[in-house]
Amino acid sequence: MNDTIPLAGVIGWPIHHSRSPSLHGFWLQRYGLSGHYIPMPISPEDLESALVSLPKLGFKGINVTLPHKEHVLSLAAEATDTAKAIGAANTLTFLPQGGFEADNTDAYGFIENLKSGAPTWSGAAQTHLVLGAGGAARAVLVALLQERANTILLTNRTRDRAENLAEAFGPRIQVVDWEDASDAVAHADLIVNTTSLGMSGHPPLPLSLDLAREGTLVTDIVYTPLATPLLKDAQHRGLPIVDGVGMLLHQAVPGFARWFGEQPKVDEDLRKAVLG
Ligand code: ATR
């Protein structure tokens, strides 16, 4: 059975909120594949034994979500440069010789989402304003540096966390005080919210777009709601926007292709299925 029906899934603690099963399930059905994708609640103390058992049960690979994303990287036999740079992994592929390769596809997902939502966008030689300094910000910074950003203005409520990222990622990152973020808008070709502000149940992001230049692209990694207050404001002002759910959809592509052998497409039907 292991040879004929590939298995994959997502581990986290808790896991019930994950949209990955509906995403991969949609693709399995669309392409008529006989694999299965299973959500698995795995506690931190069970993580290591699960990573040993899953390939024996026929799993080709797994996605990883909170709280395991950093820990799995330290357990990997191999890790991609992107996963090492981000310091966390979300896509594991079990190796024939044992162990697993750890990758992080969040940076890829972020960039693919921008490129499909704003086809003329190129990050090269541009100035970007990134709000937030958590795990999501790390993936966005790695993505923008890989796209040859000129300067990334990084701002965070807790300035120390932004300083730590600037130290880790080098001089193209310039830290801006949280209170000065609205002034930094004037220099930005791209504005990215990676904080939880604007998510349902959270206050909106306290950022004024008054100084935004014509054509500044605004994106938010929050996708509940899809139209965050930031994106609504930007749209109102005639600025181009890209919403956040596409990052979730695109980050799933490399894992699906590796485990199930088919390069899946991200399109409107998938968006609808996942947003349900
Ligand atoms: P993730 O891994 O999803 O990025 P995180 O590490 O908890 O999650 O980071 C959340 C981000 O949202 C941080 O940048 C956080 O700012 P702090 O580092 O100052 O905590 C930001 N954030 C959350 N609530 C916020 C609030 N009320 N005001 C400003 N920033 C907030």
Side-chain angles (χ1 to χ4, degrees):
M1 166 183 155
N2 289 357
D3 290 340
T4 52
I5 303 181
L7 303 177
V10 57
I11 63 167
W13 186 256
I15 199 61
H16 57 86
H17 61 281
S18 174
R19 300 200 188 215
S20 293
S22 61
L23 213 168
H24 287 266
F26 177 89
W27 280 332
L28 284 169
Q29 203 170 21
R30 168 183 278 176
Y31 297 110
L33 300 172
S34 61
H36 296 285
Y37 186 95
I38 302 157
M40 293 169 284
I42 304 286
S43 70
E45 56 269 29
D46 288 338
L47 177 64
E48 291 191 36
S49 58
L51 291 170
V52 172
S53 305
L54 287 170
K56 294 180 186 164
L57 296 170
F59 280 79
K60 303 285 183 195
I62 47 169
N63 288 121
V64 179
T65 188
L66 300 178
H68 304 310
K69 290 176 90 167
E70 284 91 12
H71 191 185
V72 292
L73 189 57
S74 67
L75 302 171
E78 294 170 19
T80 61
D81 289 344
T82 303
K84 286 183 203 161
I86 297 173
N90 70 345
T91 303
L92 312 184
T93 302
F94 295 112
L95 299 167
Q97 67 272 28
F100 59 87
E101 184 211 52
D103 191 10
N104 192 316
T105 62
D106 284 337
Y108 165 87
F110 174 72
I111 295 297
E112 288 303 305
N113 185 37
L114 280 190
K115 288 182 175 169
S116 70
T120 59
W121 181 81
S122 158
Q126 303 242 309
T127 298
H128 311 298
L129 172 62
V130 175
L131 300 109
R138 285 187 80 95
V140 166
L141 294 182
V142 167
L144 292 175
L145 290 171
Q146 285 175 349
E147 292 291 305
R148 293 175 289 117
N150 184 54
T151 304
I152 301 173
L153 304 172
L154 180 64
T155 187
N156 192 51
R157 174 181 61 177
T158 310
R159 188 179 163 110
D160 278 0
R161 294 185 83 190
E163 299 277 9
N164 289 343
L165 291 181
E167 204 166 301
F169 291 119
R172 282 190 285 166
I173 315 283
Q174 293 175 14
V175 177
V176 170
D177 267 339
W178 186 242
E179 288 69 29
D180 297 335
S182 297
D183 293 334
V185 163
H187 307 289
D189 299 299
L190 167 73
I191 298 171
V192 187
N193 176 44
T194 77
T195 74
S196 46
L197 296 175
M199 199 182 282
S200 311
H202 295 247
L205 188 71
L207 184 76
S208 164
L209 297 176
D210 282 353
L211 300 181
R213 301 193 298 232
E214 197 181 324
T216 292
L217 180 60
V218 181
T219 189
D220 203 326
I221 66 158
V222 171
Y223 59 85
T224 50
L226 212 47
T228 61
L230 173 70
L231 293 183
K232 276 192 190 162
D233 183 19
Q235 196 164 36
H236 233 79
R237 294 166 187 266
L239 299 172
I241 61 166
V242 175
D243 69 46
V245 75
M247 179 175 173
L248 167 76
L249 307 181
H250 284 282
Q251 63 76 32
V253 168
F256 189 91
R258 274 171 218 158
W259 308 325
F260 298 117
E262 180 94 33
Q263 186 76 21
K265 255 221 186 95
V266 171
D267 61 12
E268 200 46 43
D269 288 343
L270 177 70
R271 264 172 82 96
K272 281 193 202 132
V274 170
L275 288 169

